[in-house]
Amino acid sequence: MIKINSLSKLFHTKSNLISAVDDLSLEIEKGEIFGVIGYSGAGKSTFIRLINRLENPTSGQVVIDGEDITSLSKNKLRLSRQNIGMIFQHFNLLWSRTVRENIAFPLEIAGISKQERMARVDELIGLVGLSGREDAYPSELSGGQKQRVGIARALANDPKVLLCDEATSALDPETTDSILKLLIDINEKLGLTIILITHEMHVIRKICHRVAVMEAGKVVEQGDVLDVFSHPIMPVTKKFVEQVMGDNNQEDSLEWLTTGYKNGDIIKLHFVGETTSQALISQVAKQFDVDINILQGKITQTQKGAYGSLIVHIDGVSDEKESALAYIKSAPVEVEVVHHAN
């Protein structure tokens, strides 16, 4: 659906040349929610603005549904942009217009008749959950309601692609969850392709099917969200996963856990997908004459399934303990012995 080939953007300053996006290539499938994550300065916001040519690339291509956006004239680009909706961190609403008038604005520009405009606006107001607020002004709305207006406005021309530039960064956690649920609902109902830019891994976890990690203008890692969560490779990706899994003090935590156990083994189990629901620990306790204690654990849900880790202490006579460990290792989980006392 979207092919991005060797995309680059250079900014000239008085003293040097800044490479905001550096030879970036991606393919995004039709109907998926694709996340792009990176810290401030990674180039992700520049990247999303290159997709609809709010910024013109220095080199490279953006091809959407077979059309090379980067080669279009201004007039053709204006028409093509009707197929690309965009929502922003700070809403970008027209403060002198009501909810209804804000949503209708792109349809006015497109030359849609008033009767058609009103019918489409009413449909969108219901879709984003703003019924009863049609005549309110932005100053009378909460942050979540303002973003719902922004989403409805972005959907006005029935686009093929929705770009979200830090769309939940200005919202509190509860409101963020409601907006993410709305985006999932829109994706499922309309089959809309969504590209979401964020610096928050929990947003990626809750909504995205695949993710690309950006650093210094480049994509340094990409893949299914569940795969990236369970096997992060690059240091920057590991930091983002730690945001959600709470493992940033893991080394200190493991050191503290191991000091209390002079016997047995402390092992770490990694569960992915369906294996998170298996009663592995209780099965071990029933089948083997060992003592097994859960010391620490966390499971988190992604769009493609669950991922979790569990740290347990296992002790018993040598043969039973080894049999129990062998049984655990035969299960569809990853096993890491983090402390061996005897």
Side-chain angles (χ1 to χ4, degrees):
M1 175 20 169
I2 301 175
K3 293 185 178 180
I4 297 157
N5 303 314
S6 302
L7 195 65
S8 295
K9 177 64 179 180
L10 300 174
F11 289 103
H12 295 266
T13 68
K14 290 182 178 179
S15 56
N16 60 359
L17 196 62
I18 297 171
S19 181
V21 174
D22 187 2
D23 196 29
L24 189 152
S25 295
L26 281 176
E27 289 196 14
I28 298 167
E29 299 299 327
K30 183 178 181 179
E32 76 172 328
I33 304 177
F34 191 94
V36 179
I37 190 167
Y39 288 111
S40 179
K44 58 190 186 297
S45 289
T46 300
F47 163 65
I48 203 169
R49 291 170 65 85
L50 291 170
I51 293 176
N52 61 358
R53 276 184 59 187
L54 288 177
E55 293 281 356
N56 284 314
T58 304
S59 60
Q61 281 183 313
V62 176
V63 180
I64 299 177
D65 215 12
E67 182 177 57
D68 184 357
I69 301 298
T70 45
S71 66
L72 295 179
S73 65
K74 287 185 178 180
N75 287 336
K76 288 184 177 180
L77 177 62
R78 192 176 297 114
L79 291 174
S80 184
R81 276 186 179 147
Q82 292 181 10
N83 292 318
I84 308 171
M86 189 164 184
I87 58 177
F88 304 87
Q89 179 179 0
H90 297 296
F91 321 124
N92 285 17
L93 302 181
L94 299 169
W95 295 89
S96 61
R97 288 183 171 232
T98 64
V99 166
R100 184 185 295 278
E101 291 166 343
N102 264 282
I103 298 170
F105 186 62
L107 298 171
E108 292 177 32
I109 294 174
I112 305 299
S113 70
K114 184 175 181 180
Q115 185 176 359
E116 287 182 86
R117 286 203 308 267
M118 292 304 101
R120 177 63 174 157
V121 169
D122 286 342
E123 179 187 348
L124 289 167
I125 284 172
L127 178 66
V128 301
L130 285 173
S131 297
R133 303 296 287 158
E134 298 93 333
D135 298 319
Y137 288 89
S139 60
E140 301 172 311
L141 302 176
S142 68
Q145 290 171 331
K146 290 172 188 172
Q147 196 56 285
R148 287 173 186 269
V149 177
I151 292 170
R153 182 185 58 187
L155 297 176
N157 282 312
D158 195 20
K160 298 175 182 177
V161 180
L162 180 63
L163 308 179
C164 306
D165 188 7
E166 299 279 9
T168 60
S169 295
L171 305 175
D172 62 74
E174 185 176 350
T175 306
T176 291
D177 284 347
S178 71
I179 294 298
L180 295 180
K181 287 176 183 176
L182 174 60
L183 290 174
I184 292 171
D185 189 46
I186 288 168
N187 169 256
E188 292 174 349
K189 284 182 178 178
L190 306 181
L192 192 66
T193 304
I194 298 176
I195 303 175
L196 188 146
I197 299 294
T198 185
H199 64 275
E200 299 169 305
M201 196 62 171
H202 71 89
V203 171
I204 298 291
R205 173 184 69 82
K206 289 180 178 179
I207 191 173
C208 296
H209 302 119
R210 291 194 298 140
V211 61
V213 182
M214 283 190 71
E215 187 175 33
K218 293 180 177 290
V219 170
V220 295
E221 191 166 351
Q222 63 175 300
D224 287 347
V225 170
L226 185 57
D227 292 340
V228 171
F229 258 85
S230 56
H231 299 99
I233 297 170
M234 302 301 291
V236 64
T237 311
K238 292 177 180 178
K239 286 182 181 179
F240 279 122
V241 172
E242 286 168 3
Q243 286 182 3
V244 175
M245 296 305 295
D247 291 340
N248 47 325
N249 294 316
Q250 190 182 86
E251 289 186 11
D252 292 341
S253 178
L254 286 174
E255 184 179 349
W256 177 81
L257 287 171
T258 57
T259 56
Y261 293 93
K262 305 301 181 185
N263 300 306
D265 293 338
I266 293 177
I267 61 175
K268 184 174 184 180
L269 311 178
H270 294 278
F271 300 81
V272 179
E274 293 180 0
T275 61
T276 55
S277 62
Q278 294 183 2
L280 179 62
I281 301 303
S282 63
Q283 290 170 6
V284 171
K286 289 175 182 177
Q287 295 187 37
F288 302 96
D289 186 17
V290 293
D291 294 322
I292 185 164
N293 298 310
I294 297 173
L295 306 180
Q296 191 180 84
K298 184 169 184 178
I299 293 175
T300 191
Q301 191 69 34
T302 74
Q303 285 287 82
K304 291 289 187 72
Y307 162 69
S309 63
L310 195 65
I311 298 174
V312 301
H313 173 254
I314 183 168
D315 195 15
V317 296
S318 182
D319 289 348
E320 282 292 303
K321 187 180 70 173
E322 291 305 317
S323 295
L325 284 172
Y327 178 83
I328 292 171
K329 290 177 181 178
S330 71
V333 299
E334 295 178 22
V335 182
E336 176 189 357
V337 177
V338 296
H339 179 71
H340 182 69
N342 59 10

